[in-house]
Amino acid sequence: MARPSIVVLTGAGISKESGLDTFRDKDGLWSKVRIEDVATPEAFERDPVRVHDFYNARRRGLRNSNVQPNAAHRALAELEQRWPGEVLLVTQNIDDLHERAGSRNLVHMHGELLKTRCVHCGALDADLGEISVELACTSCREAGRLRPHVVWFGEMPLEMDRIYEALAGCGLFISIGTSGNVYPAAGFVQEVRYRPGTRTVELNLEPSEGATVFEERHYGPATEIVPTYVSQLLAGAR
Ligand code: BJW
């Protein structure tokens, strides 16, 4: 029997136990660097070397062999494989841990850390290593026009039409490891909450900004609560 379509939204909390920093927790990235210095188009225009340094360091962190998908990433990949209906995974994360765990129906709405984009020709390149302001695009050969393929504040997140279409048709929306501070992702739950028959679930370490909007809430480390929730879902217990 067909089961409801599922949209899963993930944030930095799902990758925390894999060794990657979140943004707004006490030891998060935004306690170490200012958003205005590294995560806006104006920052990149003003000081591209600084911004490249920030993302080069994060690429090195992601390539560290200790950083591996965890049980929560793997549970979501299993959900996609075994659920007898559509599962779209929308991640705000720019790491590649979901795909390394086996998720395939995946949208990186804030971009991908291991990709660069040429602002001259638009070509995407994967894993060029350290990016410098001098590096040339492998497609158009223009030098000095590469930027990280990430979505900064004030920029349009990626694949929004695909996301809103999936939200419009989903029967279950699950939000995992996100503080609910950044829009439009923080508003997805509002898109679906009044639709009859659509359930909304938050799985997080602690209540997010919009926690009270969710019908069902479970709190704890992602590596514990996500596999438990997914196995109950697959067993038909939810
Ligand atoms: C665990 C755990 C464990 C810990 N287990 N859980 C007013 C002024 C100016 C702008 C705006 C404004 N109001 C709204 C805006 C728009 C702006 C915005 O939202 N600003 C807010 C700050 C107010 N948004 C934008 O500019 C976006 N673009 C846009 O809106 O375009 C127009 C548009 C409108 C409508 C439709 C379509 C388009 C772009 C936002 C780009 C965000 N970019 C970043 C950086 C990406 C690159 C990079 O990584 O460097 O994306 S910012 C950063 O925040 C990153 C994240 O994806 C994003 C969300 O963070 P996330 O994932 O929620 O992490 P945290 O740290 O906040 O939370 C972690 C959670 O995990 C916590 O709750 C922990 O408890 C939990 N946790 N350990 C489970 N083990």
Side-chain angles (χ1 to χ4, degrees), residues 10-14 16-17 22-25 30 39 54-55 58 92-94 110 150-157 160 164 177-184 203-206 208 220-223:
T10 63
I14 198 168
K16 174 74 180 172
E17 292 162 87
T22 60
F23 294 91
R24 294 168 188 81
D25 289 317
W30 298 155
F54 174 67
Y55 285 97
R58 289 180 58 198
Q92 298 170 86
N93 299 342
I94 63 174
H110 290 164
V150 301
V151 177
W152 289 316
F153 283 103
E155 295 187 317
M156 184 64 88
M160 292 308 297
Y164 283 122
T178 176
S179 64
N181 274 287
V182 175
Y183 287 83
L203 306 178
N204 205 26
L205 192 60
E206 57 192 28
S208 70
T223 55

Side-chain angles (χ1 to χ4, degrees), residues 4-7 86 164-174 192 195-199:
S5 298
I6 301 176
V7 175
E86 185 85 2
Y164 283 122
E165 198 179 308
L167 287 171
C170 80
L172 174 59
F173 174 74
I174 311 170
V192 300
R195 187 154 1 94
T198 301
R199 275 192 300 148

Side-chain angles (χ1 to χ4, degrees), residues 40-59:
T40 66
E42 295 77 18
F44 188 59
E45 215 166 285
R46 206 168 46 240
D47 193 349
V49 173
R50 167 95 202 261
V51 175
H52 277 312
D53 282 351
F54 174 67
Y55 285 97
N56 282 333
R58 289 180 58 198
R59 272 184 213 105

